Amino acid sequence: MPAWAEYKQASVQRGSLALELYVVISTPEKSPDDLKKNLPDHLAYQSEQEQRSRLVMAGPMSDISGEVMEGVGMIVYRADSLEAATALAEADPMHKTGTRSYTIRRWLVNEGSFQLDIKLSAQSIRL
């Protein structure tokens, strides 16, 4: 398997976008009551990251059947490095309090398209 940097460089050479983002999978560790208690601080933190253009997208995921809400969430950050993205994940009140644990991975975005700047929690769209 190639090193990450080698693979990213090969993507650039192929003419791909090679935009490096960071995906956090956040998993509940405490009770639903603890999750609810920390939710306002978590959402405020996410809104702050969104306003600073660090948060690309975030939200809950279903189980594999697509029918059950397990409480697992996905957060996509824009950062200068894996270390910077990890610091963002660590500072999230859900992770900071141990209410949720997380894993983080680099994500190399090569294909796709966007035409709008949409800030979800602020309900704003910029052309």
Side-chain angles (χ1 to χ4, degrees):
M1 298 227 177
W4 183 261
E6 291 172 9
Y7 187 82
K8 184 175 179 180
Q9 184 59 36
S11 293
V12 170
Q13 290 173 345
R14 282 193 307 270
S16 295
L17 177 62
L19 171 64
E20 190 168 278
L21 297 174
Y22 302 89
V23 176
V24 174
I25 301 299
S26 183
T27 307
E29 293 295 335
K30 294 186 178 177
S31 74
D33 287 337
D34 288 317
L35 289 167
K36 286 178 187 174
K37 181 178 119 186
N38 286 294
L39 187 59
D41 290 340
H42 165 73
L43 294 176
Y45 179 77
Q46 294 292 67
S47 181
E48 177 186 339
Q49 300 319 306
E50 182 182 273
Q51 293 304 312
R52 293 180 177 199
S53 296
R54 296 175 181 161
L55 179 66
V56 178
M57 292 183 181
M61 297 168 49
S62 72
D63 73 342
I64 198 161
S65 75
E67 300 298 322
V68 177
M69 168 60 170
E70 289 182 318
V72 173
M74 185 172 82
I75 305 164
V76 181
Y77 288 123
R78 182 182 297 106
D80 292 332
S81 66
L82 179 58
E83 294 77 18
T86 299
L88 291 172
E90 285 286 327
D92 183 322
M94 287 289 191
H95 302 142
K96 192 186 256 189
T97 61
T99 304
R100 300 175 75 86
S101 63
Y102 72 91
T103 59
I104 187 169
R105 292 185 182 212
R106 287 181 161 116
W107 178 29
L108 198 60
V109 179
N110 286 332
E111 300 88 20
S113 67
F114 282 93
Q115 289 76 36
L116 301 173
D117 179 17
I118 301 173
K119 294 196 174 9
L120 302 176
S121 67
Q123 298 180 6
S124 70
I125 300 173
R126 183 177 58 181
L127 298 175

